[in-house]
Amino acid sequence: MEFEQAMKRLNEISESMGGSELPLEQSMKLYAEAAELVKFCKGYISEAKLKVEQIEGAVEG
């Protein structure tokens, strides 16, 4: 999965959970999916930050 796809899905989940009353079971499934997507996105951002820092270090080197 790519970062942009994960963010799009998070937006879809947010709209689904905020716009209507869902059954509790469906809300829990969406929440769990969103939590995994957030974890993925945080990891992706951390890796990107590390790469940027490495590039900056090489340029300043």
Side-chain angles (χ1 to χ4, degrees), residues 4 7-8 13 17-18 22 26 32-34 38 46-47 49 60:
E4 291 79 7
M7 291 300 295
K8 181 180 177 185
I13 291 171
M17 292 183 76
L22 298 173
Q26 189 174 0
E33 181 183 356
V38 167
S46 291
E47 287 180 26
K49 181 180 176 186
E60 293 173 1

Side-chain angles (χ1 to χ4, degrees), residues 13-47:
I13 291 171
S14 176
E15 288 177 5
S16 293
M17 292 183 76
S20 64
E21 292 190 26
L22 298 173
L24 180 58
E25 184 69 26
Q26 189 174 0
S27 293
M28 295 297 292
K29 286 180 182 178
L30 289 173
Y31 181 81
E33 181 183 356
E36 288 298 316
L37 289 168
V38 167
K39 181 179 175 182
F40 168 81
C41 289
K42 284 182 177 182
Y44 187 93
I45 290 169
S46 291
E47 287 180 26

